[in-house]
Amino acid sequence: MSVTDLTTQAGWMVALAIAALVAAGWRKTARATPQTPRREPVVRRKWVPISVAETTVPLYRRPHVLRRAWAIVASSGIALVLGAVLAILIAFGVSYAVITLTDLLKQ
């Protein structure tokens, strides 16, 4: 199979996929409309009002300086750990790709 045949088949697949998407969405409305019932529902619950309780809440107070400092230290530590793990994963992936590609070039 040549590159031209592969490209032609991929082009046909893309064209057929687009045609299928257009055909599937052709008859759909822009917004879903709810189906209206033809008659009243048989069972209706009795209407009961919902009670609302109004209570006072304490006013907002800024957190203490030590709590804010601990938040900064903890979030910085989490960011460093996640950054190190992400750097290790990326380095492993890049090194695997380089080793694989150089082995392919040696063949």
Side-chain angles (χ1 to χ4, degrees):
M1 178 177 273
S2 67
V3 175
T4 305
D5 293 337
L6 187 64
T7 305
T8 306
Q9 286 181 356
W12 274 107
M13 286 298 189
V14 168
L16 290 174
I18 291 173
L21 287 173
V22 168
W26 190 261
R27 304 266 308 159
K28 299 208 178 214
T29 57
R31 286 191 180 168
T33 56
Q35 293 183 353
T36 56
R38 296 185 182 193
R39 62 186 176 107
E40 288 293 321
V42 177
V43 178
R44 294 198 84 162
R45 287 185 284 156
K46 185 177 177 182
W47 183 80
V48 178
I50 299 171
S51 61
V52 177
E54 294 183 17
T55 58
T56 59
V57 295
L59 295 176
Y60 173 75
R61 292 182 313 198
R62 290 183 64 160
H64 195 264
V65 175
L66 291 177
R67 188 173 179 108
R68 285 188 277 166
W70 175 249
I72 291 172
V73 169
S75 60
S76 299
I78 291 172
L80 286 173
V81 169
L82 287 177
V85 169
L86 189 62
I88 289 170
L89 290 175
I90 290 172
F92 179 75
V94 169
S95 65
Y96 178 77
V98 167
I99 290 170
T100 304
L101 291 176
T102 54
D103 284 346
L104 288 175
L105 288 175
K106 290 179 184 178
Q107 291 179 356

XYZ file of all heavy atoms in Angstrom:
817
model
N 0.850 -1.168 0.000
C 0.000 0.000 0.000
C 0.897 1.232 0.000
O 1.803 1.360 0.805
C -0.894 -0.031 1.242
C -1.777 1.184 1.339
S -2.885 1.104 2.739
C -4.219 0.221 2.004
N 0.624 2.136 -0.899
C 1.453 3.335 -1.013
C 0.861 4.457 -0.157
O -0.253 4.363 0.358
C 1.539 3.779 -2.474
O 0.267 4.230 -2.910
N 1.633 5.525 -0.061
C 1.188 6.682 0.707
C -0.010 7.337 0.031
O -0.935 7.819 0.688
C 2.361 7.680 0.877
C 1.893 8.945 1.567
C 3.489 7.054 1.655
N -0.036 7.328 -1.280
C -1.151 7.920 -2.016
C -2.448 7.161 -1.738
O -3.504 7.766 -1.517
C -0.852 7.911 -3.531
O 0.395 8.563 -3.750
C -1.940 8.617 -4.304
N -2.383 5.826 -1.732
C -3.571 5.029 -1.439
C -4.054 5.279 -0.007
O -5.261 5.399 0.241
C -3.280 3.539 -1.625
C -3.022 3.170 -3.079
O -3.476 3.931 -3.959
O -2.366 2.137 -3.305
N -3.116 5.345 0.909
C -3.474 5.585 2.305
C -4.117 6.957 2.470
O -5.124 7.107 3.180
C -2.228 5.466 3.187
C -2.464 5.515 4.689
C -3.296 4.328 5.125
C -1.142 5.527 5.417
N -3.573 7.968 1.805
C -4.127 9.320 1.882
C -5.517 9.365 1.265
O -6.430 10.011 1.798
C -3.200 10.311 1.166
O -1.894 10.197 1.718
C -3.693 11.738 1.325
N -5.704 8.672 0.165
C -7.007 8.638 -0.490
C -8.041 7.971 0.412
O -9.172 8.472 0.560
C -6.913 7.888 -1.832
O -5.889 8.485 -2.613
C -8.220 7.930 -2.575
N -7.673 6.859 1.032
C -8.605 6.185 1.939
C -8.931 7.043 3.148
O -10.095 7.098 3.593
C -8.019 4.853 2.394
C -8.056 3.790 1.326
C -7.490 2.468 1.836
O -7.016 2.375 2.951
N -7.555 1.446 0.984
N -7.946 7.741 3.681
C -8.200 8.627 4.825
C -9.126 9.765 4.419
O -10.019 10.158 5.183
C -6.879 9.179 5.363
N -8.948 10.305 3.223
C -9.828 11.364 2.724
C -11.257 10.887 2.576
O -12.211 11.600 2.939
N -11.435 9.664 2.054
C -12.776 9.097 1.928
C -13.411 8.908 3.298
O -14.608 9.153 3.482
C -12.735 7.764 1.178
C -12.792 7.941 -0.307
C -11.778 7.780 -1.187
C -13.931 8.332 -1.073
N -12.199 8.044 -2.450
C -13.539 8.386 -2.412
C -15.240 8.640 -0.748
C -14.413 8.746 -3.429
C -16.111 8.992 -1.764
C -15.689 9.044 -3.086
N -12.638 8.441 4.257
C -13.166 8.234 5.603
C -13.623 9.560 6.223
O -14.677 9.630 6.858
C -12.131 7.577 6.510
C -11.936 6.129 6.226
S -13.471 5.293 6.532
C -12.972 3.634 6.404
N -12.837 10.598 6.031
C -13.204 11.907 6.572
C -14.474 12.414 5.903
O -15.397 12.916 6.556
C -12.035 12.907 6.399
C -12.486 14.327 6.669
C -10.887 12.538 7.310
N -14.551 12.284 4.584
C -15.739 12.743 3.858
C -16.980 11.974 4.289
O -18.049 12.566 4.496
C -15.507 12.598 2.353
N -16.862 10.656 4.453
C -18.010 9.866 4.874
C -18.413 10.177 6.321
O -19.604 10.183 6.651
C -17.709 8.376 4.714
C -17.619 7.880 3.261
C -17.169 6.421 3.237
C -18.937 8.053 2.556
N -17.440 10.438 7.169
C -17.752 10.789 8.560
C -18.488 12.119 8.627
O -19.456 12.273 9.375
C -16.468 10.843 9.391
N -18.052 13.101 7.836
C -18.730 14.395 7.803
C -20.143 14.236 7.257
O -21.103 14.821 7.768
C -17.912 15.419 6.994
C -16.640 15.778 7.759
C -18.729 16.670 6.700
C -15.672 16.646 6.992
N -20.295 13.428 6.204
C -21.628 13.186 5.646
C -22.535 12.516 6.670
O -23.722 12.852 6.782
C -21.509 12.334 4.381
N -22.006 11.572 7.447
C -22.812 10.908 8.467
C -23.220 11.882 9.573
O -24.353 11.840 10.058
C -22.027 9.735 9.062
N -22.319 12.768 9.971
C -22.664 13.758 10.983
C -23.729 14.716 10.491
O -24.663 15.078 11.223
C -21.417 14.536 11.413
C -20.431 13.784 12.291
C -19.170 14.612 12.493
C -21.064 13.452 13.618
N -23.617 15.132 9.241
C -24.621 16.033 8.672
C -25.966 15.323 8.576
O -27.013 15.880 8.911
C -24.155 16.563 7.295
C -25.285 17.249 6.561
C -22.993 17.519 7.471
N -25.958 14.072 8.135
C -27.209 13.328 8.007
C -27.845 13.066 9.373
O -29.068 13.092 9.510
C -26.950 12.005 7.290
N -27.048 12.831 10.394
C -27.592 12.554 11.722
C -28.191 13.806 12.350
O -29.187 13.732 13.066
C -26.503 11.985 12.625
N -27.604 14.946 12.100
C -28.092 16.167 12.720
C -29.006 16.979 11.843
O -29.388 18.095 12.192
N -29.415 16.476 10.710
C -30.193 17.246 9.748
C -31.579 17.572 10.271
O -32.068 18.675 10.106
C -30.287 16.451 8.442
C -30.860 17.239 7.333
C -32.139 17.221 6.892
C -30.179 18.173 6.512
N -32.306 18.067 5.860
C -31.110 18.681 5.597
C -28.877 18.639 6.461
C -30.777 19.625 4.644
C -28.548 19.580 5.510
C -29.481 20.064 4.617
N -32.255 16.631 10.909
C -33.645 16.814 11.302
C -33.799 17.281 12.743
O -34.906 17.434 13.216
C -34.403 15.497 11.120
C -34.328 14.933 9.743
C -35.455 15.316 8.859
N -36.730 15.023 9.493
C -37.848 15.609 9.130
N -37.852 16.465 8.150
N -38.968 15.329 9.740
N -32.726 17.492 13.445
C -32.831 17.877 14.845
C -33.065 19.384 14.956
O -32.506 20.167 14.212
C -31.568 17.491 15.600
C -31.337 16.017 15.575
C -30.589 15.595 16.771
C -30.451 14.094 16.656
N -30.471 13.438 17.858
N -33.864 19.765 15.928
C -34.114 21.179 16.160
C -32.961 21.782 16.950
O -32.173 21.071 17.564
C -35.422 21.366 16.951
O -35.306 20.639 18.159
C -36.607 20.846 16.150
N -32.903 23.099 16.934
C -31.816 23.776 17.637
C -31.956 23.600 19.143
O -30.973 23.433 19.849
C -31.796 25.246 17.283
N -33.182 23.630 19.635
C -33.416 23.443 21.059
C -34.406 22.316 21.256
O -35.359 22.176 20.497
C -33.999 24.702 21.688
C -33.003 25.787 21.852
C -33.585 26.856 22.703
N -32.595 27.908 22.854
C -32.850 29.082 23.335
N -34.060 29.376 23.726
N -31.912 29.991 23.463
N -34.184 21.567 22.283
C -35.093 20.482 22.580
C -36.383 21.074 23.163
O -36.341 21.877 24.084
C -34.469 19.509 23.559
N -37.518 20.688 22.609
C -38.788 21.184 23.122
C -39.425 20.092 23.971
O -39.446 18.924 23.575
C -39.729 21.558 21.970
O -39.894 20.417 21.123
C -39.158 22.701 21.157
N -39.945 20.458 25.128
C -40.576 19.434 25.958
C -41.885 18.977 25.326
O -42.603 19.767 24.711
C -40.808 20.142 27.287
C -40.883 21.581 26.933
C -39.978 21.767 25.747
N -42.177 17.722 25.487
C -43.425 17.195 24.961
C -44.555 17.613 25.894
O -44.499 17.399 27.100
C -43.355 15.679 24.861
C -42.375 15.199 23.824
C -42.388 13.686 23.703
O -43.041 12.998 24.474
N -41.664 13.181 22.732
N -45.592 18.206 25.317
C -46.716 18.636 26.134
C -47.637 17.451 26.377
O -47.912 16.675 25.461
C -47.481 19.765 25.433
O -47.883 19.297 24.149
C -46.606 20.987 25.281
N -48.122 17.309 27.605
C -49.023 16.184 27.872
C -50.366 16.406 27.179
O -50.837 17.528 27.035
C -49.156 16.192 29.386
C -48.826 17.578 29.793
C -47.843 18.096 28.787
N -50.999 15.332 26.760
C -52.280 15.443 26.062
C -53.432 15.610 27.035
O -54.487 16.085 26.675
C -52.491 14.214 25.193
C -51.452 14.134 24.110
C -51.719 13.004 23.195
N -50.642 12.967 22.199
C -50.691 12.257 21.111
N -51.719 11.506 20.873
N -49.698 12.281 20.262
N -53.246 15.197 28.257
C -54.285 15.376 29.265
C -53.606 15.658 30.599
O -52.403 15.513 30.753
C -55.170 14.145 29.357
C -54.444 12.904 29.766
C -55.378 11.698 29.680
N -54.643 10.507 29.989
C -54.768 9.819 31.117
N -55.635 10.192 32.019
N -54.056 8.737 31.328
N -54.403 16.014 31.554
C -53.874 16.320 32.885
C -53.344 15.045 33.535
O -53.880 13.953 33.312
C -54.979 16.915 33.768
C -55.358 18.326 33.379
C -54.242 19.303 33.636
O -53.555 19.172 34.667
O -54.037 20.187 32.788
N -52.296 15.150 34.331
C -51.809 13.956 35.017
C -52.871 13.410 35.971
O -53.661 14.159 36.542
C -50.576 14.431 35.770
C -50.535 15.898 35.644
C -51.504 16.321 34.600
N -52.866 12.117 36.125
C -53.868 11.454 36.942
C -53.652 11.765 38.418
O -54.596 12.068 39.149
C -53.833 9.927 36.686
C -54.825 9.213 37.586
C -54.114 9.635 35.236
N -52.431 11.699 38.862
C -52.123 11.900 40.273
C -51.502 13.278 40.444
O -50.490 13.594 39.825
C -51.148 10.815 40.785
C -50.810 11.062 42.244
C -51.745 9.445 40.576
N -52.113 14.095 41.283
C -51.543 15.409 41.596
C -51.314 15.472 43.096
O -52.190 15.110 43.883
C -52.493 16.523 41.189
C -52.671 16.601 39.693
C -53.231 17.914 39.343
N -52.099 18.825 39.254
C -52.146 19.978 38.652
N -53.254 20.404 38.128
N -51.085 20.749 38.586
N -50.143 15.911 43.439
C -49.860 16.052 44.864
C -50.528 17.305 45.400
O -50.705 18.290 44.682
C -48.353 16.148 45.077
C -47.657 14.834 44.866
C -46.213 14.928 45.200
N -45.534 15.639 44.107
C -44.397 16.285 44.220
N -43.787 16.325 45.363
N -43.862 16.888 43.197
N -50.855 17.259 46.655
C -51.461 18.416 47.303
C -50.407 19.499 47.452
O -49.263 19.231 47.830
C -52.015 18.010 48.666
C -52.766 19.101 49.350
C -53.347 18.611 50.662
C -54.038 19.771 51.354
N -54.580 19.379 52.645
N -50.767 20.736 47.158
C -49.829 21.841 47.238
C -49.596 22.195 48.691
O -50.546 22.470 49.442
C -50.369 23.045 46.481
C -49.409 24.181 46.465
C -48.336 24.318 45.657
C -49.427 25.321 47.308
N -47.679 25.476 45.933
C -48.331 26.114 46.957
C -50.251 25.748 48.329
C -48.044 27.318 47.581
C -49.958 26.951 48.952
C -48.858 27.718 48.577
N -48.326 22.148 49.086
C -47.947 22.498 50.454
C -46.862 23.562 50.361
O -45.855 23.372 49.672
C -47.395 21.257 51.208
C -46.961 21.637 52.606
C -48.422 20.162 51.222
N -47.048 24.695 51.017
C -46.005 25.735 50.945
C -44.735 25.292 51.665
O -44.774 24.529 52.627
C -46.644 26.935 51.644
C -47.702 26.363 52.510
C -48.179 25.117 51.830
N -43.623 25.776 51.164
C -42.326 25.444 51.748
C -41.962 26.555 52.722
O -41.970 27.742 52.365
C -41.250 25.315 50.651
C -41.626 24.196 49.694
C -39.889 25.080 51.259
C -40.752 24.123 48.471
N -41.626 26.168 53.915
C -41.271 27.177 54.913
C -39.821 27.603 54.725
O -38.948 26.811 54.390
C -41.475 26.615 56.323
O -40.630 25.501 56.501
N -39.589 28.887 54.930
C -38.252 29.456 54.793
C -37.840 30.010 56.147
O -38.565 30.806 56.752
C -38.233 30.578 53.735
C -36.857 31.207 53.650
C -38.670 30.049 52.390
N -36.674 29.600 56.612
C -36.182 30.069 57.907
C -35.146 31.159 57.674
O -34.214 30.988 56.901
C -35.573 28.923 58.693
N -35.329 32.278 58.326
C -34.370 33.364 58.232
C -33.576 33.408 59.528
O -34.130 33.639 60.600
C -35.085 34.689 58.003
C -35.779 34.769 56.666
C -36.407 36.128 56.436
O -36.044 37.088 57.151
O -37.244 36.216 55.551
N -32.285 33.151 59.407
C -31.430 33.168 60.593
C -30.279 34.129 60.366
O -29.874 34.386 59.229
C -30.860 31.769 60.889
O -30.123 31.334 59.739
C -31.968 30.770 61.170
N -29.750 34.643 61.436
C -28.601 35.541 61.334
C -27.328 34.714 61.310
O -27.246 33.648 61.916
C -28.562 36.515 62.518
O -28.489 35.759 63.713
C -29.797 37.390 62.535
N -26.355 35.212 60.611
C -25.066 34.529 60.515
C -23.986 35.480 61.007
O -24.144 36.700 60.956
C -24.759 34.094 59.058
C -25.761 33.066 58.604
C -24.758 35.275 58.122
N -22.863 34.921 61.478
C -21.792 35.819 61.928
C -21.152 36.539 60.733
O -21.124 36.016 59.622
C -20.796 34.880 62.604
C -21.089 33.528 62.049
C -22.555 33.516 61.716
N -20.671 37.724 60.977
C -20.036 38.495 59.915
C -18.705 37.868 59.524
O -18.085 37.143 60.303
C -19.816 39.933 60.379
C -21.097 40.741 60.645
C -20.725 42.114 61.189
C -21.903 40.880 59.378
N -18.269 38.189 58.302
C -17.006 37.639 57.798
C -15.841 38.271 58.540
O -15.798 39.495 58.742
C -16.877 37.906 56.299
C -15.541 37.528 55.749
C -15.212 36.196 55.538
C -14.581 38.487 55.456
C -13.980 35.834 55.041
C -13.347 38.132 54.959
C -13.052 36.808 54.752
O -11.829 36.453 54.272
N -14.894 37.426 58.944
C -13.653 37.913 59.541
C -12.498 37.353 58.750
O -12.514 36.168 58.357
C -13.538 37.460 60.994
C -14.544 38.103 61.903
C -14.335 37.658 63.309
N -14.181 36.193 63.336
C -14.311 35.445 64.396
N -14.584 35.996 65.551
N -14.175 34.151 64.346
N -11.501 38.165 58.512
C -10.325 37.686 57.788
C -9.610 36.640 58.626
O -9.550 36.743 59.851
C -9.368 38.839 57.512
C -9.931 39.802 56.484
C -8.944 40.872 56.191
N -7.759 40.260 55.576
C -6.874 40.921 54.858
N -7.023 42.201 54.680
N -5.849 40.311 54.345
N -9.048 35.612 57.957
C -8.315 34.598 58.722
C -7.056 35.194 59.356
O -6.519 36.199 58.892
C -7.947 33.535 57.678
C -8.349 34.054 56.370
C -9.135 35.296 56.550
N -6.591 34.525 60.383
C -5.413 34.978 61.113
C -4.187 34.902 60.207
O -4.145 34.140 59.242
C -5.224 34.096 62.366
C -4.287 34.686 63.352
N -2.961 34.339 63.405
C -4.468 35.624 64.314
C -2.368 35.018 64.367
N -3.272 35.807 64.946
N -3.169 35.682 60.531
C -1.957 35.748 59.709
C -1.283 34.382 59.608
O -0.808 33.990 58.536
C -0.981 36.802 60.283
C 0.320 36.798 59.521
C -1.611 38.175 60.271
N -1.244 33.630 60.702
C -0.602 32.315 60.672
C -1.360 31.350 59.757
O -0.757 30.540 59.056
C -0.508 31.732 62.077
C 0.463 32.461 63.015
C 0.401 31.841 64.401
C 1.868 32.404 62.455
N -2.673 31.451 59.739
C -3.460 30.575 58.864
C -3.207 30.907 57.397
O -3.102 30.027 56.553
C -4.938 30.718 59.203
C -5.805 29.724 58.482
C -7.233 29.803 58.984
N -8.047 28.864 58.266
C -8.534 27.752 58.770
N -8.278 27.456 60.020
N -9.271 26.953 58.053
N -3.102 32.199 57.073
C -2.797 32.588 55.692
C -1.384 32.165 55.302
O -1.153 31.708 54.182
C -2.965 34.093 55.533
C -4.434 34.504 55.493
C -4.585 35.950 55.150
N -4.417 36.727 56.377
C -4.217 38.018 56.418
N -4.127 38.708 55.311
N -4.094 38.644 57.559
N -0.445 32.297 56.230
C 0.934 31.876 55.935
C 0.993 30.362 55.723
O 1.683 29.883 54.809
C 1.858 32.292 57.071
N 0.265 29.593 56.544
C 0.235 28.138 56.377
C -0.377 27.759 55.028
O 0.066 26.829 54.375
C -0.522 27.483 57.513
C -0.686 26.016 57.312
C -1.833 25.353 57.057
C 0.351 25.035 57.287
N -1.581 24.018 56.882
C -0.241 23.800 57.019
C 1.734 25.082 57.469
C 0.477 22.619 56.926
C 2.448 23.895 57.372
C 1.826 22.692 57.111
N -1.397 28.495 54.577
C -2.012 28.222 53.283
C -1.011 28.458 52.158
O -0.939 27.677 51.196
C -3.252 29.091 53.090
N -0.223 29.499 52.259
C 0.785 29.781 51.235
C 1.850 28.693 51.215
O 2.235 28.196 50.155
C 1.422 31.172 51.480
C 0.402 32.267 51.205
C 2.662 31.368 50.613
C 0.868 33.648 51.598
N 2.331 28.283 52.401
C 3.364 27.251 52.482
C 2.842 25.920 51.955
O 3.506 25.231 51.165
C 3.870 27.112 53.935
C 4.743 25.884 54.094
C 4.629 28.365 54.349
N 1.619 25.547 52.343
C 1.061 24.262 51.916
C 0.806 24.232 50.417
O 1.135 23.257 49.736
C -0.234 23.989 52.681
N 0.234 25.305 49.871
C -0.034 25.321 48.428
C 1.265 25.359 47.628
O 1.359 24.741 46.560
C -0.925 26.507 48.062
O -0.295 27.714 48.413
N 2.285 26.023 48.141
C 3.577 26.022 47.448
C 4.200 24.628 47.461
O 4.765 24.180 46.462
C 4.537 27.011 48.108
O 4.025 28.315 48.037
N 4.090 23.932 48.588
C 4.610 22.564 48.668
C 3.902 21.627 47.713
O 4.533 20.818 47.024
N 2.577 21.731 47.657
C 1.817 20.887 46.726
C 2.207 21.200 45.289
O 2.364 20.300 44.451
C 0.306 21.078 46.963
C -0.094 20.483 48.305
C -0.516 20.453 45.839
C -1.515 20.792 48.719
N 2.369 22.483 44.966
C 2.757 22.866 43.610
C 4.140 22.323 43.255
O 4.366 21.859 42.129
C 2.735 24.390 43.469
N 5.073 22.363 44.205
C 6.410 21.839 43.940
C 6.391 20.334 43.710
O 7.037 19.816 42.799
C 7.345 22.188 45.095
C 7.786 23.649 45.182
C 8.571 23.894 46.461
C 8.615 24.017 43.969
N 5.640 19.610 44.529
C 5.572 18.151 44.386
C 4.919 17.780 43.052
O 5.424 16.930 42.309
C 4.815 17.520 45.575
C 4.504 16.062 45.316
C 5.637 17.672 46.844
N 3.794 18.417 42.738
C 3.132 18.121 41.467
C 4.006 18.507 40.271
O 4.041 17.801 39.255
C 1.787 18.834 41.397
C 0.688 18.247 42.268
C -0.582 19.075 42.165
C 0.402 16.818 41.895
N 4.714 19.616 40.381
C 5.617 20.025 39.301
C 6.745 19.037 39.104
O 7.119 18.721 37.969
N 7.282 18.526 40.201
C 8.363 17.540 40.091
C 7.866 16.245 39.461
O 8.527 15.665 38.588
C 8.956 17.265 41.474
N 6.692 15.789 39.884
C 6.131 14.558 39.303
C 5.847 14.751 37.825
O 6.155 13.885 36.995
C 4.856 14.142 40.074
C 4.106 13.037 39.351
C 5.213 13.706 41.482
N 5.280 15.897 37.465
C 4.994 16.175 36.056
C 6.277 16.270 35.239
O 6.353 15.753 34.117
C 4.188 17.468 35.940
C 3.617 17.804 34.576
C 2.638 16.724 34.141
C 2.938 19.145 34.615
N 7.314 16.886 35.795
C 8.596 16.978 35.088
C 9.205 15.595 34.882
O 9.764 15.308 33.810
C 9.554 17.876 35.869
N 9.095 14.726 35.866
C 9.624 13.363 35.731
C 8.881 12.608 34.645
O 9.491 11.934 33.803
C 9.550 12.627 37.084
C 10.574 13.217 38.054
C 9.791 11.134 36.900
C 10.415 12.730 39.475
N 7.550 12.725 34.639
C 6.759 12.027 33.621
C 7.072 12.532 32.212
O 7.215 11.747 31.271
C 5.272 12.178 33.920
C 4.758 11.425 35.151
C 3.301 11.751 35.398
C 4.961 9.930 34.979
N 7.193 13.839 32.054
C 7.506 14.402 30.740
C 8.905 13.989 30.308
O 9.136 13.620 29.146
C 7.346 15.934 30.763
C 5.867 16.291 30.879
C 7.939 16.570 29.517
C 5.606 17.760 31.093
N 9.867 14.043 31.230
C 11.237 13.647 30.889
C 11.301 12.185 30.496
O 12.000 11.814 29.542
C 12.165 13.926 32.064
N 10.566 11.332 31.203
C 10.540 9.915 30.854
C 9.943 9.709 29.465
O 10.470 8.950 28.660
C 9.733 9.134 31.898
C 9.636 7.672 31.590
C 10.713 6.834 31.799
C 8.470 7.140 31.072
C 10.627 5.478 31.501
C 8.369 5.798 30.774
C 9.457 4.959 30.987
N 8.844 10.394 29.182
C 8.209 10.264 27.867
C 9.097 10.749 26.739
O 9.208 10.099 25.692
N 9.765 11.877 26.948
C 10.651 12.416 25.908
C 11.855 11.506 25.706
O 12.250 11.224 24.568
C 11.086 13.850 26.275
C 12.203 14.332 25.377
C 9.902 14.788 26.183
N 12.421 11.009 26.796
C 13.582 10.121 26.652
C 13.189 8.822 25.965
O 13.938 8.296 25.137
C 14.224 9.850 28.010
O 13.327 9.135 28.835
N 12.006 8.284 26.276
C 11.536 7.072 25.600
C 11.354 7.322 24.098
O 11.746 6.494 23.277
C 10.215 6.613 26.230
C 9.638 5.388 25.564
C 10.171 4.139 25.830
C 8.582 5.489 24.674
C 9.653 3.006 25.216
C 8.071 4.371 24.054
C 8.604 3.132 24.320
O 8.100 2.026 23.707
N 10.783 8.486 23.765
C 10.589 8.806 22.351
C 11.925 8.964 21.627
O 12.102 8.472 20.505
C 9.756 10.082 22.214
N 12.883 9.627 22.269
C 14.195 9.823 21.632
C 14.903 8.487 21.446
O 15.478 8.203 20.384
C 15.050 10.805 22.470
C 16.499 10.793 22.020
C 14.477 12.198 22.383
N 14.875 7.636 22.457
C 15.532 6.332 22.355
C 14.881 5.490 21.271
O 15.568 4.847 20.458
C 15.496 5.612 23.725
C 16.421 6.325 24.716
C 15.891 4.152 23.591
C 16.268 5.852 26.145
N 13.559 5.500 21.228
C 12.846 4.713 20.209
C 13.168 5.221 18.810
O 13.426 4.431 17.891
C 11.333 4.783 20.456
O 11.061 4.331 21.780
C 10.580 3.912 19.470
N 13.151 6.538 18.632
C 13.421 7.087 17.298
C 14.866 6.867 16.870
O 15.135 6.587 15.695
C 13.068 8.572 17.260
C 11.568 8.889 17.342
C 11.348 10.379 17.404
C 10.823 8.281 16.170
N 15.810 6.977 17.794
C 17.202 6.740 17.410
C 17.437 5.255 17.095
O 18.236 4.942 16.221
C 18.169 7.205 18.510
O 17.818 6.592 19.749
C 18.161 8.704 18.646
N 16.741 4.370 17.795
C 16.857 2.958 17.451
C 16.270 2.678 16.074
O 16.794 1.835 15.325
C 16.135 2.098 18.503
C 16.930 1.976 19.790
O 18.142 2.316 19.777
O 16.344 1.585 20.815
N 15.201 3.380 15.722
C 14.614 3.205 14.386
C 15.558 3.723 13.298
O 15.607 3.189 12.195
C 13.262 3.912 14.297
C 12.115 3.255 15.061
C 10.869 4.129 14.982
C 11.815 1.878 14.494
N 16.288 4.788 13.612
C 17.225 5.337 12.620
C 18.414 4.413 12.422
O 19.004 4.389 11.340
C 17.714 6.717 13.073
C 16.691 7.843 12.994
C 17.269 9.108 13.593
C 16.263 8.077 11.555
N 18.808 3.650 13.447
C 19.939 2.752 13.330
C 19.623 1.530 12.494
O 20.522 0.879 11.971
C 20.405 2.309 14.722
C 21.051 3.408 15.514
C 21.467 2.919 16.887
C 22.031 4.034 17.717
N 22.389 3.577 19.069
N 18.358 1.204 12.347
C 17.996 -0.014 11.608
C 18.166 0.150 10.126
O 18.073 1.059 9.475
C 16.534 -0.394 11.890
C 16.347 -0.850 13.307
C 14.882 -1.204 13.593
O 14.017 -1.038 12.766
N 14.649 -1.685 14.781
